[in-house]
Amino acid sequence: MGAKLAALVVLAAFLAGPAACEGASICFNGWLRLPTYNPWLCSRGSRMRSLPRQRGPYPSGLGLGNGYYDNRWSRSYCPRAEGIVRGAVRDAVAAYPGIGAGLIRLFFHDCFVRGCDASVLLTTTNSNNSDTEREGLPNKNSLRGFEVIDAAKAAIEAACPGKVSCADIVAFAARDASYFLSNRRINIQMPGGRYDGRESFANETDQLPGPFSNVTELQATFAAKGLTSDEMVTLSGAHTIGRARCMFFSSRFSEMDPAFAAKLRAECNGNDDTNVNQDDVTPYVLDKQYYRNVIDRKVLFTSDAVLNSTETMTQVRENANRAGAWERKFERAMENMGKIGIKARADQGAEIRKVCSRVNN
């Protein structure tokens, strides 16, 4: 693990920019756990985090609307748009359910950095920089679903060019992945009308909550985006699907349910790059099992385990025990997250991209 950790330390140092440091062991907003305090890394170009952060304005979604592309009198008229996205997601999830988890995560990682503007998709920007969000520590070599977004975009451009933003496609894809992975129990009302951003920077991915975050850090990170503590607990439930690298939880084996820890040790087999299922019970179903896992100490990340605390345990138990409670809250939280920092007009330094990975000329 030594070589891999050293590489991560070097990468974090280059990305440090506005990275925050907490205490003596957590850097890059809970994405990197250091074995000892490293003042050079945590102070170089960074600032100590002052918690709690001031809550940002609750996402308004001004300019968005349900059925946005269905108005035949609008210049954005593209009635097949949402159906095309749903078809692309349906086919992808049917072929490999894990891609659905990737699409939900892609939406989350887009909205928490620069708002829901598809900046997470960019490899070519207005500033001509190559260190985009895709290269940031939380995203590099871990984001999935780009090919689904690209396929949907290509089909939509063929049907009605220049009408539908990549940001809306990302949002619709997360909505549809949630629908299919929940066996059609989750139906998110996801409005459209977002425009695409023209900038993307790796060092801004420090705004994403990391696997080593504690409750206070999680609450502060979500509050900065205008979301509540309850929405933080609700959206964490997406960890009932998807996979995770052993490097992000192998230090926690002693804190887990012993039988669960033994199973994970065997699966990881000393390789920090091994991926395992986040939910060992229903790994391909978006359901409330995550909250039972929190209670039973069968979750991977520190950021999952800390929800078993006095501040959040009431919500965890309610989500675990009340039929349909978490699903309804997840629908609302995903809709609200989709309203973070939207660009609803082209004159706000935004556009409708022709290709999702690069800005228009």
Side-chain angles (χ1 to χ4, degrees):
M1 179 178 177
K4 294 185 179 69
L5 182 58
L8 281 173
V9 169
V10 171
L11 177 61
F14 277 106
L15 298 179
C21 298
E22 173 67 16
S25 60
I26 307 298
C27 287
F28 210 82
N29 200 19
W31 277 96
L32 180 64
R33 180 182 289 278
L34 301 178
T36 57
Y37 179 57
N38 187 326
W40 182 86
L41 174 61
C42 284
S43 63
R44 185 177 178 84
S46 69
R47 58 180 181 275
M48 291 299 291
R49 180 167 18 199
S50 178
L51 297 174
R53 294 178 181 172
Q54 183 177 358
R55 180 177 301 282
Y58 199 70
S60 68
L62 186 64
L64 302 183
N66 291 320
Y68 181 84
Y69 296 104
D70 295 337
N71 182 359
R72 65 173 58 252
W73 309 114
S74 168
R75 60 184 177 182
S76 299
Y77 181 58
C78 185
R80 294 180 53 205
E82 295 193 43
I84 289 173
V85 176
R86 177 155 293 202
V89 173
R90 180 193 60 234
D91 294 346
V93 170
Y96 174 50
I99 204 68
L103 290 168
I104 294 171
R105 184 171 183 256
L106 191 65
F107 178 53
F108 181 91
H109 282 224
D110 182 38
C111 291
F112 261 62
V113 183
R114 291 187 163 260
C116 307
D117 68 345
S119 55
V120 74
L121 306 179
L122 286 172
T123 58
T124 303
T125 71
N126 187 57
S127 297
N128 293 317
N129 60 299
S130 59
D131 57 332
T132 63
E133 291 169 34
R134 291 169 70 152
E135 300 300 311
L137 181 60
N139 296 337
K140 190 175 180 64
N141 298 325
S142 69
L143 290 180
R144 293 181 294 170
F146 296 111
E147 69 278 12
V148 181
I149 303 300
D150 290 342
K153 177 63 171 175
I156 289 173
E157 284 296 303
C160 35
K163 303 282 189 179
V164 181
S165 69
C166 299
D168 276 347
I169 293 173
V170 171
F172 294 153
R175 173 199 64 191
D176 297 336
S178 300
Y179 176 76
F180 292 119
L181 290 175
S182 67
N183 293 321
R184 296 169 169 77
R185 292 188 178 94
I186 292 175
N187 291 275
I188 301 165
Q189 297 298 310
M190 186 64 71
R194 301 165 189 81
Y195 277 70
D196 298 322
R198 291 176 53 80
E199 301 289 6
S200 181
F201 302 99
N203 63 3
E204 293 183 349
T205 59
D206 76 335
Q207 298 172 62
L208 290 159
F212 300 117
S213 300
N214 61 38
V215 169
T216 303
E217 291 167 332
L218 289 170
Q219 290 172 329
T221 302
F222 277 74
K225 304 302 174 184
L227 300 179
T228 67
S229 178
D230 187 56
E231 287 172 316
M232 177 271 290
V233 175
T234 298
L235 291 169
S236 294
H239 284 179
T240 192
I241 52 174
R243 295 170 67 81
R245 281 184 285 179
C246 294
M247 70 170 62
F248 291 121
F249 61 84
S250 56
S251 63
R252 292 196 57 251
F253 287 140
S254 63
E255 303 168 19
M256 299 176 181
D257 171 83
F260 181 63
K263 184 175 185 298
L264 289 175
R265 282 183 190 273
E267 290 183 19
C268 292
N269 196 28
N271 185 349
D272 282 340
D273 286 331
T274 297
N275 285 286
V276 304
N277 290 327
Q278 295 204 74
D279 177 359
D280 194 47
V281 182
T282 56
Y284 300 115
V285 181
L286 186 61
D287 58 16
K288 63 180 182 177
Q289 178 62 40
Y290 168 81
Y291 298 98
R292 177 52 54 188
N293 294 344
V294 171
I295 295 169
D296 293 341
R297 295 192 299 133
K298 295 181 178 181
V299 288
L300 302 185
F301 302 145
T302 298
S303 58
D304 297 322
V306 296
L307 298 186
N308 194 353
S309 69
T310 55
E311 294 180 78
T312 53
M313 197 58 195
T314 299
Q315 295 119 293
V316 168
R317 291 192 180 279
E318 178 182 279
N319 292 340
N321 297 324
R322 282 187 54 196
W326 173 72
E327 288 82 354
R328 303 292 81 77
K329 290 200 293 184
F330 187 75
E331 290 168 351
R332 293 191 295 271
M334 286 284 281
E335 179 184 353
N336 287 334
M337 186 172 69
K339 299 174 181 177
I340 295 174
I342 60 162
K343 297 171 177 63
R345 297 196 317 275
D347 61 2
Q348 293 179 328
E351 62 190 10
I352 303 293
R353 284 183 219 143
K354 298 174 183 177
V355 177
C356 288
S357 62
R358 62 176 185 263
V359 297
N360 299 338
N361 293 328

